[in-house]
Amino acid sequence: SQTIHQWPATLVQPVGSPLSLECTVEGTSNPNLYWYRQAAGRGLQLLFYSVGIGQISSEVPQNLSASRPQDRQFILSSKKLLLSDSGFYLCAYSGTGNTGELFFGEGSRLTVL
Amino acid sequence: GEDVEQSLFLSVREGDSSVINCTYTDSSSTYLYWYKQEPGAGLQLLTYIFSNMDMKQDQRLTVLLNKKDKHLSLRIADTQTGDSAIYFCAETEDYGQNFVFGPGTRLSVLP
């Protein structure tokens, strides 16, 4: 069966520190992978998506970057965090069934102080 | 660009029906989804509907699609306290790509 995991679940970081959030998918090959951010009381903002290894598309200019070093691994990074980077980050992949829906990880809550 | 709108809050009494509404702008939407997010968790797919359907029923859930008005609704019958969550409407034109999410409707179920 297909599963998706992301970690860490909770992170508190000072302004200016680096960030690395990791997401892995199991049970599927060559998935489309996504990073979303959900700010408090707001909807989902698509940050990055990837259709293959090394292929990253960015939806909005920002302080973050993404990488896909392996087929089923998607990493969200920052060299220097800003206060505005605080939020709930969700990794997702699109399924291969006939409904095309997204499957989401458990989420990573980042607080920048 | 494409846009999906939802009201942000809805309160209902336990046992009543809940109706969550969504409007979208992309006339090429092919797949439309309802996701549920419980506190501190990721999103889980509740149900979906293809654009060539008008209605879909799945136990307590009924989805209605009005393509002419670009309006999607989710009805939850006999709403329970466990239904309290944020409900997201989402659409995509391309299978498995370019999802557009609404801001989410926070459903509160009162005893």
Side-chain angles (χ1 to χ4, degrees):
Chain A
S1 64
Q2 300 169 3
T3 59
I4 178 169
H5 298 288
Q6 60 177 108
W7 67 93
T10 306
L11 199 58
V12 180
Q13 293 285 99
V15 169
S17 64
L19 171 73
S20 181
L21 299 179
E22 189 165 341
C23 172
T24 59
V25 179
E26 297 176 0
T28 186
S29 297
N30 197 30
N32 290 347
L33 296 171
Y34 304 80
W35 277 112
Y36 285 89
R37 176 168 57 205
Q38 182 180 17
R42 297 175 62 182
L44 297 177
Q45 180 186 32
L46 178 63
L47 301 176
F48 300 95
Y49 71 92
S50 171
V51 298
I53 295 175
Q55 300 179 61
I56 310 294
S57 296
S58 174
E59 288 296 299
V60 293
Q62 58 200 302
N63 183 43
L64 302 168
S65 62
S67 61
R68 185 170 178 174
Q70 300 180 42
D71 180 44
R72 290 173 287 179
Q73 185 184 28
F74 205 23
I75 298 172
L76 184 69
S77 304
S78 174
K79 292 182 179 178
K80 289 185 178 181
L81 284 168
L82 305 172
L83 287 174
S84 57
D85 292 324
S86 293
F88 193 55
Y89 290 84
L90 290 159
C91 181
Y93 73 96
S94 52
T96 55
N98 62 352
T99 55
E101 74 267 27
L102 287 178
F103 294 91
F104 285 84
E106 307 93 335
S108 299
R109 181 161 303 283
L110 170 66
T111 303
V112 183
L113 301 175
Chain B
E2 299 87 355
D3 194 19
V4 177
E5 296 291 337
Q6 301 175 239
S7 53
L8 298 182
F9 302 97
L10 176 67
S11 292
V12 299
R13 293 277 179 197
E14 191 173 12
D16 289 349
S17 292
S18 307
V19 179
I20 303 172
N21 294 300
C22 166
T23 58
Y24 59 96
T25 58
D26 186 359
S27 58
S28 300
S29 295
T30 306
Y31 305 89
L32 297 119
Y33 309 91
W34 283 105
Y35 284 85
K36 178 183 180 182
Q37 184 184 33
E38 297 186 354
L43 278 67
Q44 290 187 308
L45 181 69
L46 268 185
T47 187
Y48 63 91
I49 191 167
F50 296 130
S51 60
N52 61 356
M53 300 166 65
D54 297 325
M55 186 182 84
K56 181 179 180 182
Q57 188 154 2
D58 184 2
Q59 298 182 347
R60 292 192 296 124
L61 305 179
T62 303
V63 179
L64 295 177
L65 174 61
N66 182 328
K67 282 192 67 178
K68 175 176 174 289
D69 295 338
K70 298 190 185 70
H71 182 267
L72 183 73
S73 67
L74 173 69
R75 179 176 179 269
I76 305 173
D78 187 26
T79 311
Q80 303 297 308
T81 54
D83 295 323
S84 293
I86 301 176
Y87 291 81
F88 290 91
C89 172
E91 62 89 13
T92 182
E93 176 186 347
D94 305 321
Y95 177 86
Q97 301 185 50
N98 299 328
F99 295 85
V100 180
F101 284 83
T105 299
R106 183 179 295 275
L107 174 65
S108 299
V109 182
L110 308 174

